[in-house]
Amino acid sequence: MNNDLYAAGIARGWNLVDARETLATTYNPDVIIIGSGAGGATAAAALAKAGFRVLILEEGSLKTANDFHNDELKAYAELYQEGALRTSKDGGISILQGRTVGGTTTVNWTSSFRTPNSTLAYWREQFGIATAQSEHLKPYFERVEQRLNIERWAASPNANNAVIQRGCEQLGWHWDVIPRNVQGCWNLGYCGTGCPTNAKQSMLVTHIPEALEHGAQLIHSVRVQQLTWANDQVTGVICQAMDAHLHHTRGELMHLQAPLVILAGGAINSPGLLLRSQTPDPHRTTGKRTFLHPVCMNMAVFDETIDGFYGAPQSIYSDAFNDIPSTAEMGFKIEVAPMQPSIVSALMGEFGDQHYQRMQQLAQSNLMLALMRDGFHGDDHGGRVELRANGDAVVDYPLGEALWNTCKKAFMAMARIQFAAGARSVMPVHALGKACTSIAAYQAHLETLPMRIFDVRLSSAHVMGGCGMSETPEQGVVNLSGQHHQLRNLYVFDGSIFPSSIGANPQLSIYAWTLKLTEELIARLGSHDPRAQ
Amino acid sequence: MNRRSFLKLSFGAALLLATIGGSARFLHRARRHPAEGYDVLRDQDVIFFSALFPAVIGPHPQFQLSLALRSLDRMLLASSPAMRKEVFNLADLATFAITRGPVTGVWRGWQHLQDDQIRAFLKRWQHSRVGLYRQGYQGICQLCQMAWYGVPQAWHNIGYPGPPEFLTRLRES
């Protein structure tokens, strides 16, 4: 049904390799980019356009609009890290991250916010990032917004999002329309399983094709096992093809070399690769300060039909509580989630009769999210990426008092919005959560619930940090150019360079910061020969 | 062991049992391969989840155990070695004759349990003070629920019409 971008591109000579067929490459790159998501694809397009020979390596496979069947389990298995069952080390937080060409941008819900000013101020003050200025970043944001057609959603919100609008309006709380990176969106609601109409302006349909059009090579279904390095230089990467279903690596190890390497595997995997490669880390900063923007949730039931599985999944938000508090607690952004049945079934709580009754109300239910901005307090160091015995990266994320106190506040705030919008009942997404029919009953119920691991169902879709930017090597992994503090020709351009969570959905921050850092890199390189650096 | 003494199990005891569970896996060596017809699930996993699935899903009129098990198998195949190991450890601990009773309060084989006995087991783990059991409860419920509600046969009864039909028609045209 679609004009298949990729079939047409390959016919025009795009250099696309499936490593499961062959890993032999005669391509002699100026730069190897590890990862094809928000960071990797943006850097690849800019470098390829500037005349560099770019090689992109992606662990996931190439799946395009024609493969996207709005089928949750198929999408989780094929397009997500660890089949969408990734969690923090102790299992306390579920983590949704993409693993496919285009990375998480292929499966995200399209919300596109600029980096909040309060976040930039914190980075300037705490990490010496003088460039974290909205005026300085503005041209990059504007260009990305234009390129990816990022605009406030002009159609009506679906009933699931309208709950925030109606509730906040009643309460006199802040709400606004979410800008989305879509063009000719059909308002279907299946962004999370891959856009079947190519309306979402993800990396899969924008920067990756742009890079390929300018001669870049993309090898997918290949895992980078290690970086090779000597003294203060990275020399290349050791990689291995994945098996047919992307479950394991197999076959020979291949050593690919380039004078410049850009790491863009996303938070968790980028620091994981540095740890596996035992890159110099004199201040033990690699993998530290990993932030999850953790989410707690409320489920409400309405008399009217919500059909939250249809329509643009996120179009309204509230920042009524998203400032940085002066206490150790966190601010939180309020949004809703798309409500396809498999993922929602895991959040309904209980089992047997009760679970089935709740599932029968799926079409009248509203799932609200509070995204808690971690990393904005001196005592909040977030999590730490480490390696499992088999070399896989995992984030150890301790759950502390500040988080639980924030959860309590967020549960109440969401319940107020949902009741104000006319909910018949509201239930915290908690292993012992019950549906309550008034705000007073909800508050009393909440006080009986233990705020502890596994009971409060926490999840994350915004993993940031682990290779933080900092002026000095003691505080981070890369400098203000994204250059590794110890390895001079290694750059990190992805969400892992942010020294805290963003305090908003992160994709636009990753695009704009990567565009800025890549163009500054190109300007410094001057000629098209990075060997002359 | 009655419910009261079960709840008294300290976290230390739970850890000890987890260690015994590791040994149980070792003793289970003969049963470490996937069961016939599955890519991941082993015989003991099939026994364990066959007992749990109907209790977790409840009175869904279209429920089909074979479909649900195959769906779970596919989910685990796409997950990570670490996740599969956790599920295997849980199933070993819960099915191995020596650990089953102390850990789950289930003293007979899973095949022979009545629905109310399985519900009682789930309730015990749901309300346990031991994190390991609450994690087990959450893991069992979420895996079974996601696996079943991911298959189209589950949708009609919960008012989910499925992806818009015109998309399928357009794709096929």
Side-chain angles (χ1 to χ4, degrees), chain B residues 30-71:
Chain B
R31 298 204 294 169
R32 68 186 172 178
H33 297 296
E36 175 130 10
Y38 296 97
D39 287 312
V40 176
L41 296 177
R42 307 155 308 161
D43 285 331
Q44 60 266 48
D45 307 323
V46 173
I47 290 170
F48 186 52
F49 282 104
S50 294
L52 290 166
F53 248 121
V56 172
I57 298 304
H60 192 297
Q62 266 74 44
F63 180 72
Q64 290 177 50
L65 181 60
S66 58
L67 263 183
L69 286 168
R70 276 205 301 280
S71 178

Side-chain angles (χ1 to χ4, degrees), chain B residues 125-136:
Chain B
W125 275 25
Q126 178 185 16
H127 293 273
S128 174
R129 280 178 303 170
V130 179
L132 202 67
Y133 296 150
R134 294 201 313 279
Q135 183 177 21

Side-chain angles (χ1 to χ4, degrees), chain A residues 68 70 73 82-83 85 90 190 247 310 341-342 345-346 350 352-353 355-356 359 388 431-432 452-455 457, chain B residues 55-56 59 61 71 77-80 82-83 126-127 131 134-135 138 142 145-146 157-158 160-163 167 171:
Chain A
F68 301 149
N70 320 305
L73 291 186
E82 304 182 37
L85 297 178
D90 60 15
Y190 291 85
H247 300 144
Y310 294 148
S342 174
S345 72
E350 289 295 339
D353 291 357
H355 183 265
Y356 179 58
M359 283 306 289
R388 297 189 191 276
L432 308 174
R452 61 183 182 187
I453 187 167
F454 307 129
D455 282 357
R457 302 293 165 87
Chain B
V56 172
S71 178
L77 182 65
S79 74
S80 58
M83 172 59 72
Q126 178 185 16
H127 293 273
R134 294 201 313 279
Q135 183 177 21
Q138 172 180 283
Q142 294 196 337
Q145 290 157 354
M146 285 186 76
N157 267 80
I158 53 165
Y160 174 56
L167 269 183
R171 198 183 303 282

Side-chain angles (χ1 to χ4, degrees), chain A residues 44-273:
Chain A
L47 283 158
K49 277 197 294 189
F52 291 83
R53 292 170 61 82
V54 175
L55 169 60
I56 309 163
L57 302 173
E58 167 57 50
E59 181 177 310
S61 61
L62 175 65
K63 296 284 182 190
T64 64
N66 289 336
D67 302 305
F68 301 149
H69 295 176
N70 320 305
D71 176 338
E72 277 186 274
L73 291 186
K74 184 175 184 296
Y76 300 151
E78 292 177 350
L79 308 178
Y80 284 76
Q81 298 282 354
E82 304 182 37
L85 297 178
R86 178 172 266 191
T87 67
S88 55
K89 188 182 179 191
D90 60 15
I93 306 185
S94 302
I95 299 172
L96 290 176
Q97 280 183 295
R99 182 188 67 164
T100 186
V101 171
T104 303
T105 75
T106 302
V107 292
N108 73 13
W109 303 338
T110 74
S111 296
S112 306
F113 295 96
R114 293 189 185 186
T115 318
N117 285 334
S118 56
T119 302
L120 297 174
Y122 193 78
W123 294 355
R124 285 196 306 272
E125 288 154 17
Q126 301 296 321
F127 299 91
I129 304 173
T131 51
Q133 300 272 3
S134 59
E135 276 307 303
H136 171 70
L137 294 163
K138 194 174 162 203
Y140 301 101
F141 281 121
E142 284 174 349
R143 282 165 57 204
V144 172
E145 284 160 357
Q146 191 171 19
R147 171 72 178 92
L148 304 183
N149 208 50
I150 292 171
E151 285 173 3
R152 287 155 54 91
W153 180 236
S156 300
N158 70 1
N160 199 32
N161 280 277
V163 170
I164 297 181
Q165 183 179 9
R166 209 165 55 239
C168 287
E169 201 60 45
Q170 276 289 324
L171 295 163
W173 290 359
H174 167 272
W175 66 270
D176 206 344
V177 176
I178 296 181
R180 307 181 63 221
N181 59 324
V182 294
Q183 188 155 36
C185 174
W186 292 26
N187 207 6
L188 295 172
Y190 291 85
C191 306
T193 56
C195 181
T197 68
N198 281 339
K200 177 169 29 168
Q201 298 298 291
S202 69
M203 296 298 95
L204 179 66
V205 305
T206 57
H207 288 162
I208 291 285
E210 200 171 311
L212 292 168
E213 201 64 36
H214 287 86
Q217 182 180 53
L218 168 63
I219 308 182
H220 64 83
S221 309
V222 64
R223 177 179 291 169
V224 175
Q225 299 286 21
Q226 277 191 28
L227 303 173
T228 53
W229 58 275
N231 304 316
D232 65 349
Q233 299 278 316
V234 59
T235 54
V237 304
I238 295 175
C239 53
Q240 197 175 15
M242 304 298 292
D243 64 14
H245 299 287
L246 303 176
H247 300 144
H248 306 283
T249 52
R250 65 158 201 204
E252 282 179 30
L253 294 173
M254 178 78 99
H255 190 191
L256 302 174
Q257 289 168 293
L260 182 67
V261 174
I262 294 173
L263 180 51
I268 299 183
N269 287 358
S270 280
L273 180 56

